[in-house]
Amino acid sequence: MESSLGLRAGSFSFHGIGGQPHKIPVRCHVAVPFGDAETEPAVKVEGGVAQTAPARPDEIRRSFNTPFWPHVLATTSVGQEGLDFHPWCSHVVHWDLSSNPLDLEQREGRIQRYAGLAVRRQLSAMLRDEVLRDVTAAEGSPWQCLQRHAKRFGDFSGLRPWWVLEKAEISRHVFERPFGRDVARFAQLREQRMIYRLALGQPNQEDFIDVLSRGGEATRALLQPLVLDLSAMGLRSTMPPTLT
């Protein structure tokens, strides 16, 4: 909390259009480039404004993974691989779309991970009353109590409930520009990603069901032999036929 709330405020200027040349100053918390671009961070001091050292990208990452500011992180493709933003983020805005399903997988994978915010919110909604009635919740963390109650949702795959859970979906936003094709292209990318995951034996439940629901039983019967079985040897004899 101290580290996040202690981040310096940012000061940026926009150039006005028309008339005499002038700048429009804008101040906000941690409005700094995620990369190595120049910034103009500033803090108020007695008698004016003093320049301070810019916030580092690692400080921004740590603070973004808290309930405190910054609440929005804008980044180029630099931020779509190898970084985890799922603890306190469940929305991704695609300013422009990736060129292939693998990049889309990487981009959305930053917030769609184990015990992400979307999963914890859904578990909290499902188990709220049980946790509040549990007398052991007062003796420790309510989240640990929630974890104990969530065990009953587990299955043989090990993915439920912390990886895959009904209605625990991240929110995706795509800009629909006039005469643009981004929305249609995004739907196409999601279908291509489903095929990519299918080939690896890792179909995403949300996208997989969305596409297969339009094909019915015939499509599912056709795809069943194509799904790779990556389960442990001991589970194969007990696992019922399934596409998950």
Side-chain angles (χ1 to χ4, degrees):
M1 182 182 298
E2 180 181 358
S3 175
S4 298
L5 298 181
L7 283 178
R8 294 165 292 279
S11 176
F12 287 83
S13 298
F14 292 91
H15 291 278
I17 300 177
Q20 294 295 326
H22 65 285
K23 289 185 177 181
I24 304 173
V26 177
R27 291 179 56 80
C28 55
H29 286 289
V30 202
V32 298
F34 186 63
D36 296 326
E38 293 184 357
T39 62
E40 301 177 21
V43 294
K44 287 185 177 181
V45 296
E46 188 68 26
V49 176
Q51 298 296 320
T52 64
R56 298 189 304 271
D58 57 336
E59 293 178 323
I60 305 300
R61 288 197 298 268
R62 286 196 300 267
S63 297
F64 186 68
N65 279 331
T66 70
F68 314 104
W69 58 63
H71 301 301
V72 177
L73 177 68
T75 178
T76 62
S77 58
V78 172
Q80 78 177 22
E81 295 186 19
L83 302 174
D84 294 338
F85 297 126
H86 63 287
W88 293 100
C89 181
S90 62
H91 292 258
V92 58
V93 178
H94 296 281
W95 177 258
D96 61 349
L97 294 179
S98 53
S99 60
N100 58 76
L102 179 57
D103 286 345
L104 180 64
E105 178 85 310
Q106 290 288 343
R107 184 183 297 184
E108 294 193 348
R110 300 310 94 218
I111 64 172
Q112 194 171 29
R113 306 189 69 80
Y114 176 84
L117 179 60
V119 172
R120 300 200 313 274
R121 278 176 171 167
Q122 180 60 17
L123 283 174
S124 299
M126 297 168 60
L127 300 174
R128 175 182 180 276
D129 294 338
E130 295 183 33
V131 172
L132 292 179
R133 290 195 299 263
D134 193 328
V135 294
T136 63
E139 301 174 359
S141 169
W143 291 106
Q144 292 179 347
C145 183
L146 178 71
Q147 184 180 20
R148 292 195 299 270
H149 284 273
K151 289 182 179 179
R152 72 169 187 268
F153 296 122
D155 60 10
F156 58 84
S157 70
L159 298 178
R160 297 183 75 251
W162 297 104
W163 277 100
V164 177
L165 184 66
E166 293 78 6
K167 298 182 179 181
E169 302 173 1
I170 64 173
S171 298
R172 306 170 176 90
H173 307 272
V174 179
F175 289 95
E176 187 172 6
R177 303 177 180 88
F179 306 106
R181 300 180 179 179
D182 286 353
V183 174
R185 173 58 180 159
F186 185 59
Q188 182 183 19
L189 276 173
R190 291 183 66 180
E191 291 198 11
Q192 292 174 346
R193 182 177 61 179
M194 183 275 295
I195 298 173
Y196 159 75
R197 287 170 169 173
L198 177 66
L200 295 178
Q202 301 176 27
N204 176 271
Q205 194 174 53
E206 176 190 347
D207 295 342
F208 198 52
I209 294 177
D210 180 57
V211 174
L212 291 184
S213 61
R214 300 194 293 269
E217 292 292 337
T219 300
R220 288 191 286 273
L222 179 64
L223 292 176
Q224 177 66 59
L226 304 179
V227 179
L228 298 178
D229 186 357
L230 301 180
S231 61
M233 295 295 294
L235 293 176
R236 294 187 180 184
S237 59
T238 61
M239 289 172 57
T242 178
L243 285 174
T244 59

